[in-house]
Amino acid sequence: MASDCLFCKIIAGDIPSNEVYSDDDVYAFYDINPATPTHVLIIPKKHLTDINEANLEDTALLGKLLLKANEIAASLGLTQDGFRYVINTGKNGGQTVFHLHLHILGGRALGWPPG
Ligand code: AMP
Ligand code: ZN
């Protein structure tokens, strides 16, 4: 837990969130400012600032993050029409919260390339 991290505070329950899924390793919740009709964030409970901070010791954790995202996407009815996963990283990636998070975006057709 990083004491100055917004998402660590959400995991700890110190800041409220709209939970979608939780287990020992990952936490998923609705984005407070949805960019798409369905917009969920899934995060590791372990504080990692961004994807660059992960290493091979995190292989199982990152695999679980992706596979649980698939389960969540399915549970929210996104699988048939499709969806997008996004991990914004650093300044050019548009990252604003510095605790690794995977965006699950769905519910409408998404444009490409991103802005
Ligand atoms: P990023 O720009 O990839 O760092 O994404 C951070 C995301 O966190 C944005 O989509 C925000 O809307 C979302 N966010 C910020 N604060 C909260 C919060 N308290 N609860 C839920 N989502 C949040
Ligand atoms: Zn954190």
Side-chain angles (χ1 to χ4, degrees):
M1 159 119 188
S3 58
D4 58 347
C5 171
L6 173 65
F7 286 175
C8 282
K9 289 177 184 164
I10 283 178
I11 291 164
D14 296 339
I15 290 176
S17 64
N18 194 349
E19 178 179 323
V20 175
Y21 176 81
S22 182
D23 65 26
D24 286 347
D25 301 309
V26 302
Y27 184 67
F29 55 106
Y30 284 100
D31 196 291
I32 203 169
N33 184 23
T36 51
T38 301
H39 187 174
V40 169
L41 303 174
I42 181 166
I43 64 180
K45 289 193 171 176
K46 172 183 175 180
H47 179 86
L48 294 168
T49 300
D50 63 30
I51 191 68
N52 292 312
E53 202 172 287
N55 58 44
L56 286 175
E57 287 176 13
D58 301 306
T59 299
L61 178 60
L62 294 182
K64 183 170 182 178
L65 192 83
L66 272 178
L67 295 172
K68 285 294 171 187
N70 286 353
E71 287 184 11
I72 291 164
S75 75
L76 295 174
L78 301 179
T79 306
Q80 183 171 344
D81 287 345
F83 53 84
R84 185 174 295 168
Y85 294 153
V86 171
I87 300 177
N88 294 324
T89 305
K91 179 167 64 74
N92 280 2
Q95 186 177 7
T96 61
V97 177
F98 291 88
H99 179 127
L100 174 61
H101 50 283
L102 178 77
H103 294 259
I104 304 170
L105 299 157
R108 64 170 169 82
L110 301 172
W112 191 263

